[in-house]
Amino acid sequence: MISSSTFHVISTELVVGSFAMSGLCFLLHALCRYEFIKSKDLSNITDNVAHFALLFGIIATPFAIFSGISASPGSGFSTPILVNKMFLSMTGLGLAIAALISRWKLGSSILVERKSMLIQTFTGMSASGFMLLTASAGGSFARGESLLDIFSLPYEMVILMPVAISAILLISGLASTIAALWKILGKSTV
């Protein structure tokens, strides 16, 4: 049996690697679509790899989160860095799920229009960015250093929003979810 710390390192590397691959492929796909790179094959390959890597990262993320909570000293949320890691990872996970669901529901038609393709690409790259920020915060917590130390990110400060802004965001999130479900269920021909 391996310890939760070792399992956390393994699962974290899987998450970081898959999200990094996904973000790179989303970027390459956008460059192909905007014809900075002229390759139809690369466009198709990067689209498939970006979404598959995103799916793999989503599957591996809960293992990294739960093993990280059990491996951390104290209750799992004993320092501001750990709280920030949870916020960042949950945001990245939500964006990744949104990108995959929209690609699954709309299929390749989401990539036909440049506007929807750009939103899809931005969502996928943002999910990757949040996961890489999570990994950077983890490096700061475990080793006292991270790759992004040159930016002096405030990992030691938990940024909480006032209740009014949180309520507005909650209501807008619920409204957009209901609108999306309404539209999806309204298009059904069953």
Side-chain angles (χ1 to χ4, degrees), residues 134-149:
T134 303
S136 178
S140 291
F141 178 73
R143 294 179 305 278
E145 65 178 2
S146 77
L147 184 63
L148 300 178
D149 279 346

Side-chain angles (χ1 to χ4, degrees), residues 14 48-50 53 63 66 70-71 75 77 95 97 109 112 115 120 124 126 146 156 169 179 182:
L14 290 173
N48 291 330
V49 171
F63 295 106
F66 292 124
S70 65
S75 67
F77 299 106
L95 287 168
I97 290 171
S109 67
V112 173
K115 182 178 179 183
Q120 179 74 1
S126 296
S146 77
E156 290 292 334
L169 288 174
W182 187 281

Side-chain angles (χ1 to χ4, degrees), residues 56-107:
F56 187 80
I58 288 170
I59 293 169
T61 297
F63 295 106
I65 291 172
F66 292 124
S67 64
I69 290 172
S70 65
S72 68
S75 67
F77 299 106
S78 55
T79 68
I81 292 177
L82 295 177
V83 174
N84 283 329
K85 280 183 65 173
M86 184 59 94
F87 285 154
L88 291 168
S89 65
M90 288 293 110
T91 304
L93 186 63
L95 287 168
I97 290 171
L100 276 185
I101 288 175
S102 61
R103 178 68 162 93
W104 174 58
K105 285 292 189 184
L106 300 173

Side-chain angles (χ1 to χ4, degrees), residues 46-59:
T46 54
D47 172 48
N48 291 330
V49 171
H51 289 92
F52 179 77
L54 207 57
L55 176 64
F56 187 80
I58 288 170
I59 293 169

